[in-house]
Each structure stands twice: as structure tokens, then as C-alpha cells.
């Protein structure tokens, strides 16, 4: 993040009080109540989490211990020996308690007239059928099932069917391409992949099953592929004895056959989700059943003030952690109505979101700053056409929200009244960690406000002294570190204990990888990633992963990828590339490299610019100084840092010259 942007955030001094109306019936009403809850969670965390787990979740058997900690190995196990099933909690329980006819899932397809709605009873029937189908493919407790699917109800149904069986689902974002999909399937050793013929996006159909076929040639673990016929694609290649149409298999199972939920241990994994790690390889973040579900329900209820009759819309793709926690597990475990949208905000017109809010009378809208910025650009006339008065709470996630976007969201969408919950968290945390309560926190645009109850977040410096880290709390700006475990915390990193341990290496506590600053009122301001991850439109990407694709190319000798500020995306990717000695810089090579990234990772990782350079700024020991490259990519030329220590100081002028030409 640029210094300029940090300064803009930190000089913000506007603040907004929580709305009065709705306050009296809110789950947490008022600052005093919020403070008292935080104190309670601090004084007796076991009691606090046990109470929340009891209030929110149905357990077949209660726990022996709320938390078992192994401080040396940083292993934290919540609700030990308790038994539950996430699918039971998200479906059956609400049927038993008289809500069988309530809408559980409303789906809006890309085409306006494509709407499907599942009551809890209907969801139960579909989930049981798919559980039977998976069972017939020999999927058992602990097996992995990869979900490479568009935003269609079958994705949610598959997640809940896996949970019912005790299989571990691993969603793979449908925008990922070959390399990204292959590495995830290989890492998880999935037995079954569920996919669709294609994805419908902004009026066109993109193949999904056809993408998968060459990938699976190198994924020997996959015994079957279940294919949803969604985009009406013709000539879909179906491999004999391996591929099965969803409708052929699922429809075979009669409607009245229950698939009994498999009782899971609280610390059995519920799902696996890969995210960008600090190296080229994505980390498979593993989440528990008991702790994760408790945390999903707990945060959904309090940060969105979710009530029984709310229509709640989380716009994130279900393939990301936000979709898992706040699109599926949080709202459904609370018995709410969750809305799912297949399309994009600007197709066919930039009014799509507002049309959906009016059409379904949405009460809670949770989206990302990048979406807000892009819709803000389209002008107020689009939202003004619609009746948005049912909205009660607005939410933001994925990247720091700039105050201008916050103000627009608040005024134009929220009528100048609605609270905005800016929720900071990450794949590893399972649920929100720093966030306001909508009816209890004074809001400062651009700040995620305070850590939630039980979340011991601090900012630490990392000054070196005598070769050792000296971490001191509450320095002005520094590393955002969480000192105590929380129930949503990941169980581990799949197949990679070393990576799990790396989160604790620097401070002995969980290092989020983000920078933050705490202001004089105690508000947290998130400053962005401190590691080599880049946050493009709220999608976390690893620079090392992109660099690996670039350097794998036959013409490339070296590559360095950094972030650059971007008006809509927040951050974008800027790549510096040194070609091999006898290779000329051409636009064709640029195209080739972009194509390689699209193919290997996905379009979302495609660089905004690729600059060819003669050589990289390096230390005497040969380490590329990315800090300097980041400044140049952000058009900062006069504050590059001390160039005298570079092996070739003149390289900086050459790069600046090239950068100015490229823009
Ligand atoms: O840098 C932070 C940013 O997104 C990262 C986590 O990305 P991911 O694991 O993909 O999960 C995204 C959805 C939770 C964080 O390390 N981030 C997330 N929310 C915010 C944020 N940055 C600032 N403000 C936020 N509200």
C-alpha cells in the first residue's frame, strides 16, 4: 500500500453514530453492552465461548473441554470430544423447529427470469439426494471432494451434502485456470470433482468441464466427475466410467429417503480451502466442524445483527472463504434466508445489485470495496431508480475500504443512515475478527473499528536487537498479530505443517500478515499485506506464484512482481521481467506471458503492466529489492530509498525511464 493512501486513511476524522431506530431490538445495542461483552470474553473466555456454542449450535454430544491448547506447537482444539454435524445445523434443525417452509436459499441466475428458491425442506431433500449420490460413488467420511463450480445452488447443496457425509469439501474458484485448479486437486487428493458444463458470465458461456479434462490427466486420485448441466453447452465430453451427469445420478434417488447425518467430532475437518501463501504454492487452510461453525454463526448474528426474517445477501463467490462463512454456514446455521447471485454487478446494466435488492427486499448487503468503487463510478442514477429502503445493515470485506467509497455506500445506498460494518478477517481466521457492531459502534469511515469479543488483536513492531525479534505491543504501525486462539481459527495447513508453524514464527502468536495502526481512540486501521501477497479486487494473490509462472517461460531470465495502486481494484499487479540475453523485447512476448498467467493461475492474476528491464535492482548479495520496484510501479520516483548500496545504482534510472514510457 502506498504511503499516500495510508495517510489518506489515517487523516480521516469523520465519524458516525449508530442509528437509533432498530437499536432497541438489536442483538447488541449500544457501546456499553458491547464493552461489557468484550470484558466478559476477556475475563472468562471458556465460559463465553461455551455459552455461544450452546446458544447457537445443536450438539449431539457436549464437549469435555472448551479449549485444549498446546502452546508449544500452537495447536488449539475447541470443544474437544463434542459431536455435531454442520448439515444438521444448517438444515434439519430448522425443519424440526417449524421453519420447514421458510426460504433458505434464493438464487438469482444471470438471466433476470432465472430464479430458484429452496425452502429448508427443499434444501433437505436435495442435500440428502446428493449425499446418497456421493455415497454411491464411495465417498466416505474424511474423503475430499473438489467443487469447481459456478455460483449455482448445486454448489451450496454439494457443500452441505459433503458435510452430511463427513467428507471434506474443497471449493476451487471457477475463475481459476489450469495450474491453479490442478495444484488444488493434487494437494487435496480429491476422490470426486463436482463441476458444471460451463459458467455464464456477462452474457457469454465459458467452459468449465472442458477446462477440467486436461487437468485431470495429472490427478490420479479422482475416480469420478459429477457434471451439472447448467450452461446448456453442447458436445460435452464425458469420459466413460469416470464422468456422470448430475441429473442422471441424483435423480435416481427417491425423494423420501433421508441421508442420516454422520456425527462428526468437533475437530474433524469440515472443509479445506486454498489461499495464497508466502511461497509459490497455495496453502490448504483446514477448518474444523465445531469451532468453525460456532464462530460462523456467532459472528453472523452479531456483526450483521441477523434476525429471523431477514433476507441476507453476501455477494462473494461461494468459492472464497467469505462465501463459505457468510454465504452458507453462518446464515443457514442461524436459519436465515441467504441470497445467491450468479452474475456480475454491471451486466446487462450497472443496476443489477440494486434491482436484486428491490426484487427480493434484501435487508443485509455484504459486499466488497472494489464492487462499491466500480458501481460508484457508474453514477447515482442507477441506484436511485430502485427502492432500497428494506436495507438495514451494509457490510464490506476483502480489502481496506477508502473513505470516499465508504461515504458513497453510506449516503447513496444507505440513505445516510445505515451502519456499515467493515469486517477485517482472512481465510485462516474462519470469520470476522475486527468489525463494528452495527447498532453499537461509532463508525469511522475506513477503519474496521475494534476487535470482536474474545479476539486479542494487537499491533507489534519487529525491531531487531542483538539478532532477535523484539516485539513490542501498541507501537503506532506494525504487524497485526492475534495473541489468543479463537474458535474459527484454522485447524492447520493441509499437508504442510511447516507452513502452519510459519504463522507463529515471528512473534510466537498468530501473525496475520497484515499491517495495522491503532489510533488514539483505539480504532484499528488496516494498512494491507506486509508479506508478498497482493490484494487485487479483494482477491489475495501470491507474487511468488505469479513470478514462478513468468520465470518458467523459456524467454525469461528473472521476474519480480509487485503491487501498484489501482482506482477500482485497490491494488493491481505490476511485473518487471528480464529476458534472456539474446531475446528482444516485443509485445508478442508480453502477450505470451500474460496468457501463461491466465492459463496457469487465472485471469484475476493477469498483470496490469509487464515492464521489460535490463536488470533488477539488487543488493550486493544478489537479492532483488522489491521495495524499490513497488515505489516505481506506484509512480514514486523521489523517495526510492538508498540506492548507493545497490550492485548497479544506475539501474533505478533505467527502470524509471522505462516505467514512464510504459504508462
Ligand atoms: O489483507 C487483508 C484483506 O484480505 C486478506 C485476507 O484475504 P483472504 O484470505 O482471501 O480473505 C478475504 C475475505 C475475508 C487480509 O489479510 N482484508 C480482508 N478484509 C479486510 C481486509 N483488509 C482491510 N480491511 C478489511 N475489511
Amino acid at each position: 500500500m502506498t504511503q499516500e493512501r495510508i495517510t489518506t486513511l489515517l487523516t480521516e476524522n469523520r465519524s458516525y453514530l449508530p442509528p437509533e431506530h432498530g437499536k432497541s431490538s438489536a442483538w447488541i445495542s449500544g457501546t456499553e453492552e458491547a464493552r461489557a461483552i468484550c470484558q466478559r470474553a476477556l475475563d472468562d473466555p471458556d465460559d463465553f465461548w461455551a455459552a455461544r456454542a450452546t446458544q447457537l449450535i445443536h450438539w449431539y454430544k457436549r464437549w469435555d473441554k472448551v479449549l485444549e491448547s498446546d502452546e508449544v506447537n500452537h495447536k488449539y482444539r475447541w470443544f474437544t470430544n463434542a459431536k455435531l454435524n454442520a448439515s444438521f445445523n444448517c438444515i434439519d434443525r430448522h425443519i424440526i423447529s417449524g421453519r420447514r417452509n421458510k426460504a433458505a436459499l434464493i438464487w438469482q441466475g444471470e438471466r433476470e427470469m432465472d430464479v430458484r428458491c429452496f425452502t429448508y425442506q427443499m434444501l433437505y431433500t436435495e442435500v440428502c439426494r446428493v449425499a446418497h449420490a456421493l455415497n454411491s460413488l464411495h465417498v466416505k467420511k474424511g474423503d475430499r471432494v473438489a467443487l469447481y463450480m459456478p455460483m449455482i445452488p448445486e454448489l451450496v447443496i454439494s457443500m452441505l451434502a459433503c458435510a452430511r457425509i463427513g467428507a471434506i469439501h474443497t471449493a476451487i474458484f471457477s475463475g481459476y485456470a489450469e495450474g491453479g485448479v490442478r495444484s488444488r486437486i493434487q494437494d487435496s487428493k480429491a476422490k470426486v470433482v463436482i463441476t458444471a458444463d460451463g459458467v455464464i458470465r456477462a452474457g457469454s458461456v465459458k467452459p468449465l468441464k472442458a477446462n477440467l479434462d486436461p487437468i485431470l490427466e495429472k490427478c490420479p486420485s479422482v475416480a469420478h466427475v459429477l457434471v451439472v448441466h447448467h450452461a446448456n453447452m453442447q458436445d460435452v465430453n464425458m469420459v466413460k466410467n469416470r464422468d456422470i451427469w448430475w441429473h442422471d445420478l441424483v435423480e435416481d434417488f427417491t425423494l423420501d429417503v433421508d441421508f442420516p447425518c454422520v456425527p462428526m467430532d468437533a475437530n474433524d475437518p469440515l472443509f479445506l480451502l486454498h489461499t495464497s501463501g508466502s511461497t509459490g504454492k497455495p496453502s490448504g487452510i483446514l477448518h474444523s466442524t465445531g469451532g468453525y461453525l460456532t464462530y460462523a454463526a456467532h459472528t453472523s448474528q452479531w456483526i450483521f445483527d441477523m434476525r429471523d426474517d431477514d433476507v441476507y445477501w453476501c455477494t462473494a463467490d461461494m468459492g472464497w472463504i467469505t462465501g463459505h462463512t457468510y454465504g452458507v454456514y453462518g446464515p443457514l446455521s442461524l436459519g436465515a434466508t441467504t441470497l445467491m447471485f450468479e452474475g456480475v454487478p454491471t451486466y446487462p446494466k450497472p443496476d443489477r445489485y440494486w434491482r436484486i435488492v428491490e426484487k427480493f427486499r434484501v435487508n443485509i448487503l455484504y459486499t466488497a470495496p472494489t464492487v462499491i468503487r466500480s458501481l460508484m463510478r457508474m453514477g447515482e442514477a442507477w441506484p436511485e431508480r430502485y427502492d432500497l429502503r428494506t436495507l438495514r445493515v451494509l457490510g464490506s470485506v476483502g480489502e481496506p475500504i477508502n473513505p470516499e467509497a465508504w461515504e458513497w455506500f453510506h449516503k447513496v445506498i444507505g440513505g445516510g443512515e445505515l451502519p456499515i460494518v467493515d469486517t477485517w478477517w482472512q481465510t485462516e481466521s474462519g470469520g470476522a475478527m475486527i468489525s463494528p457492531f452495527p447498532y453499537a459502534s461509532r463508525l469511522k469511515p475506513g477503519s474496521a473499528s475494534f476487535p470482536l469479543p474474545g479476539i486479542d488483536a494487537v499491533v507489534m513492531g519487529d525491531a531487531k536487537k542483538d539478532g532477535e525479534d523484539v516485539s513490542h505491543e501498541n507501537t503506532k504501525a506494525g504487524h497485526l498479530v492475534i495473541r489468543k486462539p479463537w474458535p474459527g481459527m484454522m485447524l492447520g495447513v493441509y499437508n504442510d505443517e511447516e507452513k502452519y508453524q510459519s504463522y507463529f514464527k515471528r512473534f510466537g502468536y498468530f501473525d496475520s500478515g497484515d499491517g495495522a495502526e491503532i489510533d488514539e481512540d483505539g480504532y484499528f486501521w488496516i494498512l494491507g499485506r506486509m508479506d508478498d501477497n497482493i490484494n487485487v479486487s479483494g482477491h489475495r494473490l501470491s507474487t511468488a506464484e505469479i513470478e514462478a509462472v513468468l520465470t518458467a517461460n523459456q524467454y525469461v531470465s528473472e521476474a519480480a512482481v509487485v503491487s501498484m495502486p489501482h482506482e477500482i481494484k485497490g491494488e493491481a499487479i505490476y511485473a518487471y521481467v528480464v529476458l534472456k540475453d539474446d531475446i528482444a523485447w516485443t509485445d508478442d512476448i508480453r502477450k505470451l506471458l500474460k496468457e501463461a498467467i491466465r492459463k496457469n493461475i487465472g485471469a484475476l492474476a493477469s498483470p496490469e503492466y509487464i515492464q521489460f528491464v535490463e536488470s533488477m535492482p539488487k543488493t550486493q548479495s544478489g537479492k532483488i529489492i522489491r521495495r524499490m520496484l513497488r515505489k516505481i510501479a506506484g509512480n514514486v520516483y523521489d523517495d526510492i530509498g538508498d540506492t548507493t548500496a545497490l550492485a548497479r545504482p544506475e539501474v533505478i534510472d533505467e527502470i524509471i525511464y522505462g516505467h514512464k514510457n510504459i504508462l
Side-chain angles (χ1 to χ4, degrees), residues 611-629:
Q611 183 182 345
F612 295 124
V613 295
E614 294 280 1
S615 59
M616 298 283 184
K618 287 185 181 170
T619 58
Q620 300 289 348
S621 61
K623 211 168 165 259
I624 298 177
I625 309 179
R626 287 179 172 71
R627 193 171 11 97
M628 294 184 177
L629 292 173

Side-chain angles (χ1 to χ4, degrees), residues 87 91 105 118 123 126-131 133-134 139 144-150 152-171 192-196 226-228 246 250 270-271 318 324 328-329 340:
S87 188
I91 309 174
L105 175 68
F118 296 80
L123 192 60
E126 296 308 318
V127 168
C128 282
R129 292 213 288 194
V130 176
L134 290 173
V139 173
R144 276 78 56 214
V145 175
L147 311 175
Y148 181 48
M149 300 174 79
I152 52 176
E154 285 80 356
L155 173 51
V156 177
I157 292 165
S158 300
M159 290 164 84
L160 295 168
C162 287
R164 207 165 181 90
I165 289 183
I168 302 167
H169 58 74
T170 175
V192 168
V193 181
I194 308 182
T195 190
L226 202 51
V227 189
V228 179
W246 168 287
V250 174
L270 176 62
F271 66 85
M318 301 299 185
H324 281 52
V328 180
Y329 287 112
M340 182 180 197

Side-chain angles (χ1 to χ4, degrees), residues 451-470:
L452 289 170
I455 302 303
D456 185 16
V458 291
V459 168
M460 288 183 160
D462 61 346
K464 297 262 181 208
K465 197 177 159 201
D466 302 330
E468 279 175 31
D469 271 352
V470 183

